[in-house]
């Protein structure tokens, strides 16, 4: 009994200490044109210690790369009792403030923010985007402490958009229950165009920066449909409000999920085309599906987070790959695409995996684990040795979905697995292990998935897509994409010179030693200037075999390539082969059986 009372007393004292510590931030912008945020951090109620360590995360959740946000911090100073305090930097992301057992301190620092992406802060004279993990510091050991954030907009800026909870009666002031929530809540400051819609009982705010040819009323309708289809899968929408922060640039892309918000990159003038509009809705569907998958239904390693180091998991093929898969399912269920496009999009993803040489060398689980060193840092050989957990996970999701639907004769699908895992996570209050996910798949389907896991998740077996698609009455086959056409396996980059940008495994360029960065001077004596005369640029898909001299040749012919490497000319003879890349053709079978039609209906959800 005494031991129990002692534990209870310790918990009470810990909670009391937590409640006594107050942490507040104020962010202002004295020089936004120079890309700086001014951060003031005030702490009070600190325990009597000689120093306090303040830490900046080295990465941001959802983007699996150590980005070293501390490199952007400068002019770090501290004040205790109105006097300057000693500061010592003790690690790459830790500043030690010696407060002489004082109960309060104030810290000021500047953050340089000039990297355009959905993962990193960016500030200029037109707006400020604060990716919170790269802006705010936390006291060591106090990750679960609450904090407030006050934004002081610059000049004529008059709007703030964020998923953080507003503090009543205090303009542009917000509350975070802990630092995990703060780091998961980006903030947009400026004059963004804001519109709202309600879906699944939740108010959604859309904050558009950068202008564009978007139609607000159309977006309200279509985005609401996507929200409702995602909610229908899981049975509830866990948010009180949700914020879309959309950055419209001349050429934009990408997205990053957060607990009750997302940041999307878009092209400002692409909304007016069918392809561009569908692409934006696909991005909306992907990031919104993350509201459940990753932010709540998550691999066990992804929370609580270690903000100092990598957080390894073998399950990004479910976290990201399945989300890529479900963006297609949400779109067709929302009426934003048709059955033909739905199938073509999935077949396109399948083709990407099959035609990536690295798919034969790296598994989905290994790709997930290596995200920190390969996924965001690909080099010229990555396509030959690795596979994206996005693309492989999307294919695995499709295969698993079809297998479950077929095993249950159309009664169940991957939807049922996702919902059951979501509910299980709410009960367990933690993430899932790979074994737990597999167990749920087997429970829902009623069959073993041991071989499936060995082949497609932990292994690199060829994908038997014909069998799986046939479950839904879809006829599919692979054929050579460019039969009898010459192929070198070398892609090109064009700047002031024409250089080799990539070499595919087991291609003529691979075997004969053509290197990435080799400057192409001539083909069979024809200067590269003559070869490029009628090539339209920019051309990101330019290959060596698309140049006139090689395009006229036959499979089996030899071409002499003159290159410059390390300042010296070199001649390399390539024997041209037929490309191994395949194109998958798939179509719905009009004579599908009753079970195939039941599987198809359950699979698509329409």
């Amino acid at each position: 009994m005494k031991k129990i009372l002692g534990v209870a007393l310790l918990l009470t004292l810990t909670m009391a200490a937590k409640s006594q510590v107050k942490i507040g931030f104020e962010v202002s912008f004295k020089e936004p044109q120079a890309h700086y945020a001014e951060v003031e951090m005030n702490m009070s109620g600190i325990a009597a210690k000689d120093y306090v360590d303040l830490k900046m995360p080295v990465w941001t959740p959802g983007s699996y790369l150590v980005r070293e946000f501390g490199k952007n911090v400068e002019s770090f100073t501290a004040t205790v009792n109105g006097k300057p305090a000693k500061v010592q930097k003790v690690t790459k992301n830790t500043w030690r403030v010696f407060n002489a057992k004082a109960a309060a301190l104030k810290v000021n620092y500047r953050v340089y923010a000039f990297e355009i992406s959905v993962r990193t802060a960016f500030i200029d004279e037109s707006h400020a985007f604060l990716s919170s993990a790269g802006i705010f510091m936390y006291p060591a050991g106090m990750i679960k402490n609450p904090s407030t954030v006050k934004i002081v907009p610059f000049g004529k800026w008059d709007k703030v958009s964020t998923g953080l909870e507003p503090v009543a009666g205090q303009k542009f002031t917000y509350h975070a229950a802990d630092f995990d929530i703060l780091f998961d809540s980006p903030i947009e400051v400026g004059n963004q165009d804001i519109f709202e819609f309600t879906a699944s009982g939740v108010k959604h705010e859309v904050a558009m920066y950068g202008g564009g040819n978007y139609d607000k009323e159309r977006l309200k309708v279509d985005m609401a449909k996507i929200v409702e289809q995602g909610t229908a899968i899981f049975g509830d929408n866990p948010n009180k409000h949700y914020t879309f922060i959309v950055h419209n640039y001349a050429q934009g892309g990408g997205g990053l999920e957060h607990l009750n918000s997302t940041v999307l990159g878009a092209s400002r003038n692409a909304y007016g085309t069918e392809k561009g509009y569908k692409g934006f809705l696909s991005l909306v569907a992907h990031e919104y599906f993350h509201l459940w998958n990753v932010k709540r239904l998550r691999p066990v390693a992804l929370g609580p987070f270690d903000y100092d180091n990598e957080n390894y998991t073998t399950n990004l093929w479910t976290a990201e790959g399945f989300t890529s898969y479900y963006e297609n399912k949400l779109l067709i269920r929302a009426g934003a695409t048709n059955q033909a496009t739905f199938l073509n999009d999935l077949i396109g993803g399948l083709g990407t995996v099959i035609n990536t040489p690295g798919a034969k060398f790296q598994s989905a689980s290994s790709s997930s684990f290596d995200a920190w060193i390969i996924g965001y840092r690909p080099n010229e050989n990555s396509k030959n040795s690795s596979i994206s957990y996005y693309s492989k996970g999307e294919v695995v999701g499709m295969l698993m979905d079809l297998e479950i639907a077929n095993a249950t004769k159309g009664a169940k699908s991957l939807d049922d697995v996702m919902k059951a895992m979501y509910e299980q996570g709410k009960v367990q209050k933690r993430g899932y292990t790979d074994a737990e996910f597999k167990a749920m798949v087997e429970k829902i389907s009623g069959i073993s998935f041991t071989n499936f896991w060995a082949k497609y998740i932990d292994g690199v077996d060829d994908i038997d897509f014909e069998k799986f698609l046939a479950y839904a009455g879809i006829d599919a086959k692979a054929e050579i994409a460019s039969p009898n056409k010459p192929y070198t396996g070398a892609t090109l980059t064009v700047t002031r010179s024409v250089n080799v940008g990539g070499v595919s495994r087991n291609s003529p360029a691979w075997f004969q030693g053509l290197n990435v960065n080799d400057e192409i001077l001539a083909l069979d004596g024809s200067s590269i200037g003559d070869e490029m005369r009628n090539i339209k640029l920019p051309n990101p898909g330019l290959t060596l075999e698309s140049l006139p001299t090689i395009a006229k040749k036959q499979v089996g012919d030899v071409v002499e390539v003159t290159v410059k490497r390390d300042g010296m000319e070199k001649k390399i003879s390539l024997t041209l082969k037929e490309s191994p890349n395949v194109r998958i053709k798939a179509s719905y079978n009009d004579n599908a059986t009753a079970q195939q039609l039941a599987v198809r209906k359950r699979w698509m959800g329409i």
Side-chain angles (χ1 to χ4, degrees):
M1 180 62 73
K2 288 182 180 180
K3 185 175 181 180
I4 294 174
L5 289 173
V7 172
L9 178 60
L10 178 61
L11 289 173
T12 301
L13 291 173
T14 300
M15 293 175 66
K18 175 180 174 181
S19 64
Q20 290 170 1
V21 177
K22 292 185 179 180
I23 304 170
F25 295 93
E26 181 177 293
V27 184
S28 58
F29 311 92
K30 294 179 182 178
E31 296 183 296
Q33 83 290 345
H35 321 298
Y36 279 98
E38 316 293 329
V39 183
E40 179 175 301
M41 179 182 185
N42 284 281
M43 293 183 63
S44 63
I46 309 169
K49 291 184 177 181
D50 292 328
Y51 61 84
V52 174
D53 284 344
L54 300 179
K55 304 177 73 67
M56 177 74 83
V58 303
W59 69 288
T60 187
S63 183
Y64 308 103
L65 176 68
V66 171
R67 296 181 183 275
E68 309 293 15
F69 292 125
K71 67 186 178 183
N72 297 318
V73 175
E74 60 182 75
S75 303
F76 186 104
T77 60
T79 304
V80 175
N81 296 325
K83 298 179 180 180
K86 178 183 174 182
V87 174
Q88 179 183 356
K89 194 170 184 182
V90 294
T91 72
K92 64 181 181 180
N93 65 321
T94 307
W95 287 258
R96 178 164 293 171
V97 178
F98 292 87
N99 62 325
K101 296 183 172 61
L105 63 85
K106 181 174 74 172
V107 165
N108 292 89
Y109 58 91
R110 310 183 83 199
V111 178
Y112 180 73
F114 194 56
E115 182 178 351
I116 295 178
S117 83
V118 297
R119 301 168 286 269
T120 50
F122 179 88
I123 301 168
D124 66 10
E125 72 282 355
S126 67
H127 80 130
F129 170 62
L130 307 180
S131 181
S132 296
I135 298 292
F136 301 106
M137 296 188 184
Y138 68 96
M142 299 186 194
I143 201 75
K144 290 304 179 183
N145 280 65
S147 62
T148 59
V149 175
K150 179 181 179 181
I151 303 295
V152 182
F154 174 78
K156 295 183 179 180
W157 296 353
D158 62 0
K159 296 174 183 175
V160 176
S161 299
T162 180
L164 288 170
E165 296 296 328
V167 175
Q170 299 183 44
K171 190 175 183 180
F172 299 145
T173 303
Y174 304 90
H175 173 77
D178 58 40
F179 279 90
D180 286 316
I181 290 176
L182 178 58
F183 294 148
D184 208 16
S185 301
I187 304 169
E188 176 71 19
V189 189
N191 302 109
Q192 57 270 26
D193 182 20
I194 296 175
F195 61 90
E196 298 178 349
F197 65 90
T198 298
S200 299
V202 177
K203 186 180 82 170
H204 293 73
E205 175 184 305
V206 183
M208 290 281 196
Y209 163 79
N213 61 350
Y214 53 87
D215 181 334
K216 295 182 190 178
E217 298 307 314
R218 186 183 182 191
L219 283 173
K220 288 179 186 178
V221 172
D222 290 338
M223 292 173 75
K225 290 178 180 177
I226 290 170
V227 169
E228 288 161 357
Q229 289 301 325
T231 304
I233 292 172
F234 293 95
D236 73 15
N237 194 305
N239 290 324
K240 293 187 294 183
H241 56 86
Y242 190 93
T243 302
F244 292 93
I245 297 173
V246 185
H247 293 154
N248 293 300
Y249 292 103
Q251 296 292 327
L256 188 65
E257 71 277 4
H258 297 282
L259 194 65
N260 67 337
S261 64
T262 186
V263 185
L264 310 178
S267 300
R268 66 170 61 96
N269 293 319
Y271 296 93
T273 67
E274 182 179 353
K275 179 180 179 181
Y277 188 69
K278 177 179 173 290
F280 179 74
L281 291 183
S282 295
L283 185 58
V284 169
H286 182 104
E287 300 306 331
Y288 202 84
F289 193 77
H290 273 315
L291 178 130
W292 297 278
N293 192 33
V294 170
K295 301 317 301 181
R296 291 163 178 85
L297 165 59
R298 58 178 175 78
V300 70
L302 298 185
F305 295 118
D306 175 355
Y307 292 103
D308 286 343
N309 301 288
E310 296 86 348
N311 292 232
Y312 295 102
T313 176
T314 57
N315 291 102
L316 292 181
W317 57 271
T318 54
E320 288 291 354
F322 278 20
T323 304
S324 293
Y325 173 59
Y326 266 94
E327 72 184 58
N328 292 304
K329 296 186 74 167
L330 293 188
L331 287 186
I332 192 170
R333 293 175 186 183
T337 189
N338 56 37
Q339 291 191 37
T341 303
F342 171 77
L343 181 58
N344 286 338
D345 287 345
L346 291 176
I347 292 303
L350 176 62
T352 296
V353 172
I354 292 175
N355 290 325
T356 299
K360 296 184 181 298
F361 294 88
Q362 186 182 51
S363 68
S365 56
S366 176
S367 174
S368 301
F369 194 83
D370 285 344
W372 297 91
I373 58 173
I374 298 177
Y376 288 87
R377 287 177 177 160
N379 63 21
E380 67 278 357
N381 195 51
S382 293
K383 69 176 182 180
N384 293 318
S385 60
S386 63
I387 186 66
S388 165
Y389 50 80
Y390 281 89
S391 54
K392 184 62 178 290
E394 179 181 8
V395 171
V396 168
M398 179 181 72
L399 302 183
M400 188 179 291
D401 203 0
L402 289 166
E403 186 75 89
I404 295 168
N406 184 67
T408 61
K409 296 181 170 57
K412 301 287 184 180
S413 73
L414 187 58
D415 292 6
D416 298 281
V417 174
M418 301 301 282
K419 181 178 181 180
M421 289 300 296
Y422 172 64
E423 294 295 336
Q424 179 174 291
K426 288 197 293 185
V427 173
Q428 295 179 336
K429 299 186 185 307
R430 63 167 176 80
Y432 59 82
T433 65
D434 189 63
E436 287 172 332
F437 197 93
K438 177 175 178 287
M440 185 62 75
V441 172
E442 293 178 334
K443 178 181 178 180
I444 297 295
S445 66
I447 62 174
S448 171
F449 267 75
T450 297
N451 288 338
F452 184 98
W453 239 257
K455 288 182 177 181
Y456 301 126
I457 295 168
D458 296 326
V460 294
D461 287 33
D462 290 338
I463 300 168
D464 191 2
F465 61 88
E466 299 98 332
K467 180 188 78 171
F468 289 93
L469 289 169
Y471 292 155
I474 297 171
D475 298 326
K477 64 177 182 178
E479 58 185 24
I480 295 297
S482 301
N484 302 314
K485 299 291 185 182
Y487 164 74
T488 65
T491 59
L492 301 177
T493 59
V494 183
T495 52
R496 293 182 178 180
S497 58
V498 179
N499 296 79
V500 177
V503 174
S504 292
R505 185 185 290 270
N506 296 334
S507 66
W510 171 281
F511 284 121
Q512 298 305 316
L514 196 62
N515 288 356
V516 169
N517 298 325
D518 282 350
E519 181 182 349
I520 306 296
L521 300 179
L523 300 177
D524 282 348
S526 173
S527 74
I528 193 62
D530 291 338
E531 296 291 320
M532 296 294 295
R533 185 165 288 119
N534 296 315
I535 302 293
K536 291 183 179 180
L537 299 175
N539 188 338
L542 189 64
T543 62
L544 188 60
E545 60 266 22
S546 63
L547 300 184
T549 292
I550 301 180
K552 296 173 185 178
K553 291 182 177 288
Q554 303 294 317
V555 172
D557 288 349
V558 177
V559 61
E560 184 180 75
V561 184
T562 305
V563 303
K564 182 186 287 186
R565 183 186 299 169
D566 190 28
M568 301 177 65
E569 287 193 13
K570 182 180 181 67
K571 296 184 185 298
I572 298 174
S573 294
L574 302 181
T575 301
L576 302 174
K577 294 171 57 177
E578 182 180 66
S579 171
N581 291 335
V582 300
R583 174 177 56 239
I584 299 171
K585 300 187 72 173
S587 60
Y588 296 102
N589 188 334
D590 293 333
N591 298 313
T593 66
Q595 178 167 325
Q596 287 174 322
L597 291 175
V599 169
R600 187 188 302 176
K601 181 178 179 179
R602 181 63 184 168
W603 174 49
M604 291 184 177
I606 58 173

